[in-house]
Amino acid sequence: MFAVYAESFSPDDPLNGLVVGERPEPEVPDASTGSGRGAWTTVQVKAAALNHHDLWSLRGVGLREEALPMILGCDASGIDEDGNEVLIHAVISDPSWRGDETEDPRRSLLSERYQGTFADKVAVPRANLVPKPASLSFEEASCLPTSWLTAYRMLYVQGGLRPGQSVLVQGAGGGVATALITLARAGGLQVFATSRDEAKRARALEIGAHAAYETGARLPERVDAVMETVGAATWTHSLRSLRPGGTVVISGATSGPNPDNTELNRIFFLQLRVIGSTMGTSRELGQLVSFLDATGTRPLIDRTLPMAEAREGFAAMNDGDVFGKIVFTR
Ligand SMILES: NC(=O)c1ccc[n+]([C@@H]2O[C@H](COP(=O)([O-])OP(=O)(O)OC[C@H]3O[C@@H](n4cnc5c(N)ncnc54)[C@H](OP(=O)(O)O)[C@@H]3O)[C@@H](O)[C@H]2O)c1
């Protein structure tokens, strides 16, 4: 079948190991004959969104050499074996695991242990299927399982934010960041954003930020929470932007994991809370879908490309030339 996959790793030039070609159809794990939580099925992919995770995989981060060749892609929407329109929850937990899937130490994301979504078909546990409402297109639905779910959990689960509170989103142009801005505004928050790029700051205002500033600029007021995915480049600013007792929620470190100043004194003296966040549960993905269905809020799509032109999308993300999600269609 048609597939976009990683053939090798290249830390400095991730597109080196990217192949747009053919791979065998996915093997459906043994439990497929069962009907319980462990049962697997296949989905015919209609749309799949690109994430920074796919670039990390090509760099050899989070993916083992023995797992190559590996079909990339965590996110997808498509049609299941019974003809239903579905989204796929990308967190694959152990069949014996009960409770929050993101806390399962043996969990993986699609394209880490099991083949990913940039293909004609993908095999997934039945428990990972979430119904797609008719109000969302396949392209919009494909944006939700990774960056949008991550943003939803950061704001409303780990961040515990309530309407009327204020939030700063760092690195406005990113896939997670645009989701954070849109979901925060739709949820009744006061939204500030930063970006290195003037045009991206203007776009941040269009999608819901109340104000947008240059990276590192002083805010007019301290905020209840900061949403961090940029890491070292913005960490100090994030902590300095919080009110006493405020919360920074971190789900990524694109610019590096070791900030020059960790601000430990500020953390204890101002009683700041530093909270990690990773993906979200299948239940939260269902809640996010309902949120969009009810509010009319939609993912911002930077561009839609036929999956055969995936290389162009990877290059744009690698160059930072993105505002919103890049979606591949089949
Ligand atoms: N834990 C999880 O479950 C989870 C889920 C999804 C993503 N992530 C992680 O979150 C991060 C963002 O993912 P994404 O898909 O949103 O990536 P992305 O679309 O590539 O966005 C990254 C954004 O970070 C900003 N940035 C990058 N380098 C910077 C620097 N040196 N200084 C200041 N800003 C910088 C840029 O914003 P501007 O150009 O606007 O300044 C850029 O748009 C990645 O590291 C990813 O692995 C984690």
Side-chain angles (χ1 to χ4, degrees):
M1 65 173 182
F2 176 85
V4 177
Y5 60 97
E7 190 177 52
S8 59
F9 299 140
S10 178
D12 299 327
D13 185 6
L15 270 68
N16 249 343
L18 179 70
V19 181
V20 177
E22 293 283 322
R23 291 293 302 150
E25 291 219 352
E27 278 175 31
V28 182
D30 284 348
S32 61
T33 48
S35 59
R37 192 181 156 86
W40 283 60
T41 185
T42 59
V43 172
Q44 183 203 340
V45 175
K46 300 291 282 180
L50 182 65
N51 288 290
H52 217 99
H53 183 274
D54 303 304
L55 279 178
W56 291 127
S57 299
L58 287 163
R59 289 196 174 100
V61 180
L63 186 58
R64 291 164 303 115
E65 187 115 38
E66 313 85 80
L68 296 178
M70 174 60 78
I71 300 173
L72 296 169
C74 309
D75 288 352
S77 61
I79 298 178
D80 74 8
E81 287 174 358
D82 302 321
N84 302 308
E85 298 189 349
V86 293
L87 289 70
I88 296 172
H89 182 226
V91 181
I92 312 294
S93 50
D94 191 85
S96 65
W97 181 258
R98 295 291 174 270
D100 186 325
E101 299 96 301
T102 64
E103 292 176 6
D104 176 2
R106 282 181 290 189
R107 76 185 184 278
S108 70
L109 273 191
L110 278 175
S111 80
E112 290 176 352
R113 193 176 309 147
Y114 301 103
Q115 299 293 322
T117 58
F118 295 164
D120 288 329
K121 263 190 189 174
V122 59
V124 289
R126 264 182 206 286
N128 286 54
L129 300 184
V130 171
K132 178 185 91 58
S135 62
L136 287 175
S137 67
F138 282 110
E139 288 85 346
E140 289 164 344
S142 76
C143 299
L144 304 183
T146 298
S147 23
W148 275 67
L149 178 59
T150 300
Y152 178 83
R153 184 174 171 94
M154 287 174 79
L155 289 164
Y156 299 117
V157 182
Q158 303 297 72
L161 286 165
R162 298 282 176 269
Q165 291 192 294
S166 59
V167 66
L168 166 65
V169 177
Q170 300 280 20
V176 178
T178 49
L180 284 164
I181 293 169
T182 313
L183 286 174
R185 183 64 185 254
L189 302 175
Q190 181 78 19
V191 187
F192 300 109
T194 67
S195 172
R196 298 164 295 176
D197 183 76
E198 194 179 341
K200 289 185 186 175
R201 291 196 290 276
R203 301 282 316 271
L205 298 177
E206 283 168 26
I207 63 167
H210 291 89
Y213 303 94
E214 280 180 43
T215 303
R218 193 188 175 96
L219 302 184
E221 61 190 72
R222 292 214 156 87
V223 292
D224 293 305
V226 180
M227 300 295 124
E228 249 300 349
T229 59
V230 181
T234 50
W235 183 251
T236 302
H237 180 254
S238 291
L239 293 187
R240 290 183 182 174
S241 301
L242 282 174
R243 65 156 171 83
T247 303
V248 59
V249 183
I250 172 162
S251 75
T254 306
S255 62
N258 298 310
D260 291 339
N261 184 352
T262 48
E263 297 282 353
L264 294 181
N265 285 342
R266 180 173 290 268
I267 291 172
F268 75 74
F269 192 67
L270 295 181
Q271 303 188 79
L272 305 179
R273 299 191 310 145
V274 177
I275 308 230
S277 195
T278 281
M279 300 293 288
T281 64
S282 175
R283 188 155 176 257
E284 286 158 8
L285 180 57
Q287 290 167 347
L288 168 62
V289 168
S290 299
F291 185 162
L292 299 199
D293 194 34
T295 58
T297 304
R298 293 291 175 266
L300 178 70
I301 297 178
D302 174 277
R303 71 197 81 179
T304 303
L305 297 166
M307 206 177 277
E309 292 168 27
R311 180 172 287 276
E312 186 185 325
F314 275 83
M317 179 169 276
N318 196 33
D319 294 342
D321 174 24
V322 181
F323 195 87
K325 297 297 294 175
I326 296 175
V327 175
F328 304 136
T329 49
R330 235 0 235 159

